[in-house]
Amino acid sequence: MPVPIRRLIVALTLSCALLAGATACGGDGTTRDTAAVAATATPTSSSSIEKQKLAKTRFVANAGLAAGATYQWIVKPWKAGKFKKGAKGRTLALAKAGLAGTFAYNRLKAASRNAQGDPTLSRAVAPLTAGIDGLKNLPSKLRKGDDSAASSFDDVITKVKGAGKSAGAEVKDQVPSASQLQAG
């Protein structure tokens, strides 16, 4: 009885796939002790805060993005009076400010973590962590029309810039793109 060619091709393809899968997953044939693997994978550190690579650079980038977003979408509209009831474009300005406020809070928290990786920056930024944590609820205050929220953002950004400058990491405003704002 002759075997159809289609059946031979399917059988050959399946056997090659099984052979390739078995050799890829097979390893070197030795078994490892899982406790030994876990012991070698556990990092050990002598200090509670590990030194980060490029901590100052990361701090400057994150703080700069927070400062740019705050100035562009919170401080400028606040000074122009766009957050007042009845102002033209108020809803859009408040939506942008809320998004920018959330973004700025996220970037300031990241900058604070980056500062912990550098001894000089960590001493300069440590007093500001309470102020950064206080920004968490400010986007909702902006939406409610609280004028003090915009000035609070501006004050914290100014203090972070000053702390960075005193530690040798000058922060310059960098306006984030719309995709950066959405990504957080």
Side-chain angles (χ1 to χ4, degrees):
M1 230 192 238
V3 178
I5 190 88
R6 193 172 32 164
R7 197 178 285 172
L8 285 174
I9 292 174
V10 169
L12 180 63
T13 305
L14 284 175
S15 62
C16 287
L18 288 173
L19 181 64
T23 56
C25 296
D28 59 357
T30 62
T31 58
R32 294 184 181 175
D33 184 19
T34 56
V37 171
T40 58
T42 306
T44 58
S45 176
S46 59
S47 68
S48 61
I49 300 173
E50 290 189 31
K51 190 169 184 160
Q52 290 182 356
K53 289 183 180 179
L54 305 171
K56 280 188 179 181
T57 305
R58 290 178 179 181
F59 170 81
V60 169
N62 284 323
L65 286 170
T70 299
Y71 183 74
Q72 183 70 29
W73 289 294
I74 297 174
V75 175
K76 276 176 54 177
W78 172 58
K79 287 182 179 178
K82 293 212 175 199
F83 296 150
K84 293 182 180 176
K85 291 190 187 256
K88 185 176 181 182
R90 178 178 186 257
T91 306
L92 182 61
L94 286 174
K96 287 179 183 180
L99 186 61
T102 304
F103 176 81
Y105 171 76
N106 184 345
R107 292 297 87 207
L108 286 173
K109 289 296 280 185
S112 177
R113 285 190 303 274
N114 296 139
Q116 292 173 354
D118 183 75
T120 309
L121 273 174
S122 65
R123 285 190 298 273
V125 176
L128 301 176
T129 55
I132 293 170
D133 287 337
L135 295 178
K136 188 174 189 173
N137 298 325
L138 288 182
S140 64
K141 288 182 180 178
L142 279 171
R143 285 190 293 272
K144 292 177 184 173
D146 187 359
D147 286 339
S148 66
S151 64
S152 296
F153 264 109
D154 195 29
D155 292 344
V156 170
I157 294 293
T158 303
K159 289 177 183 175
V160 168
K161 283 180 169 182
K165 190 172 185 175
S166 71
E170 188 172 350
V171 177
K172 295 182 181 177
D173 291 1
Q174 299 174 6
V175 178
S177 67
S179 62
Q180 286 175 318
L181 278 176
Q182 290 176 349

